[in-house]
Amino acid sequence: MSVTGSLIVISGPSGTGKGTICKSLFQRRPDMFYSVSATTRPPRAGEVDGIHYHFLGKQLFAEMVERDEFLEWAEVYDNMYGTPKIPVTEALQKGRDVLLEIDVQGALKVKSKAPWGVYIFIVPPSLQILRSRIVSRGTDSMEVIDKRMAKALGELAHLHEYNYVIINDVLEDAVSKVESIINAEKCRSHRYQLFGNADVNQPLVTENVPE
Ligand code: ADP
Ligand code: 5GP
């Protein structure tokens, strides 16, 4: 696949602030393509089908898995989540930067297929802060919070499989760091072509653009 957009994957344990960071990033970078995942979990208050997730029944999700329509999929806390493949590949081919916000299992699956992507691991300042953030989010029972905390420890061990690590302490600092990584990725030399016989008035290099 000839790809000109950047694939940015934001991942990390549950409650580290991935969703919050991506929401804030969207204010700064509305030009990016934010992949909408499919899930079998029911919508939470305020969530809109097709915007926050594609809310699917288990049967439909299983059919999409069968037809190989996901770039990756994973079971996360008893629900299925998956990244629809076609919108992501089309956006990349059109030269758009694509952002995936997915769990650690999913990120590692995407990395095995697209090692050229940019993999960013979000970590909380401490486990105590992680717990208090999950509690204050108010979406999980104490039993689920304990499960998430236990899983977080195992997920943190994957830190070195990512290209970048961001400690989500002050939110705006974390968002700025993600944006800096995206900007740096756009300056990578493999994205540029040098003109052979450049006219003195013409640009010396040009960004690869999709055909
Ligand atoms: P994730 O998407 O990784 O599961 P969320 O984005 O839902 O995590 O964040 C979990 C909770 O932590 C939310 O209540 C969110 O408002 C809060 N949170 C996220 N980032 C910060 C931060 N930098 N400082 C304080 N609270 C934060
Ligand atoms: P929530 O149910 O709180 O929205 O999401 C639960 C977890 O699933 C989060 O860690 C989130 O990043 C992850 N997630 C959301 N979409 C996907 C996806 O398409 N694939 C994978 N593997 N994880 C996802």
Side-chain angles (χ1 to χ4, degrees):
M1 145 167 98
S2 98
V3 151
T4 50
S6 309
L7 177 66
I8 312 289
V9 180
I10 307 260
S11 183
S14 174
T16 48
K18 303 180 293 292
T20 309
I21 289 173
C22 291
K23 216 166 134 191
S24 179
L25 187 69
F26 181 71
Q27 307 301 318
R28 299 189 190 194
R29 303 295 289 251
D31 54 304
M32 290 183 67
F33 178 85
Y34 292 77
S35 163
V36 179
S37 297
T39 183
T40 60
R41 90 152 159 71
R44 294 181 187 137
E47 284 183 332
V48 179
D49 187 37
I51 294 184
H52 299 97
Y53 281 104
H54 299 292
F55 294 101
L56 307 181
K58 286 183 184 165
Q59 176 67 28
L60 191 51
F61 193 99
E63 284 168 18
M64 286 182 72
V65 170
E66 193 61 31
R67 292 196 297 264
D68 194 25
E69 288 177 10
F70 290 120
L71 182 59
E72 63 73 36
W73 60 270
E75 186 174 342
V76 187
Y77 304 108
D78 304 328
N79 291 302
M80 309 302 286
Y81 294 81
T83 306
K85 202 187 296 184
I86 290 175
V88 169
T89 50
E90 282 184 355
L92 287 170
Q93 281 164 354
K94 285 181 187 153
R96 287 187 74 186
D97 296 333
V98 170
L99 191 119
L100 308 185
E101 186 239 297
I102 57 179
D103 89 316
V104 174
Q105 315 166 60
L108 298 178
K109 284 183 202 163
V110 177
K111 194 179 174 212
S112 69
K113 292 183 181 171
W116 41 266
V118 180
Y119 295 85
I120 304 177
F121 196 60
I122 308 294
V123 293
S126 69
L127 286 177
Q128 195 183 10
I129 292 175
L130 176 63
R131 176 178 273 277
S132 68
R133 284 186 185 165
I134 300 177
V135 171
S136 68
R137 184 167 62 181
T139 51
D140 304 298
S141 65
M142 278 304 154
E143 190 196 339
V144 172
I145 292 170
D146 288 340
K147 270 195 197 167
R148 287 183 193 247
M149 291 301 296
K151 196 171 171 204
L153 284 173
E155 290 176 328
L156 286 165
H158 290 285
L159 181 143
H160 287 113
E161 292 167 66
Y162 288 75
N163 305 110
Y164 297 95
V165 173
I166 293 177
I167 301 168
N168 179 20
D169 189 352
V170 176
L171 179 64
E172 288 310 308
D173 291 351
V175 177
S176 295
K177 284 179 185 168
V178 172
E179 202 179 12
S180 302
I181 292 167
I182 294 167
N183 289 339
E185 180 62 19
K186 299 303 285 175
C187 300
R188 295 274 298 271
S189 59
H190 68 85
R191 297 190 170 280
Y192 290 83
Q193 281 175 20
L194 182 63
F195 285 123
N197 298 310
D199 179 315
V200 288
N201 293 312
Q202 293 299 313
L204 282 168
V205 291
T206 179
E207 226 180 311
N208 288 324
V209 286
E211 289 153 16

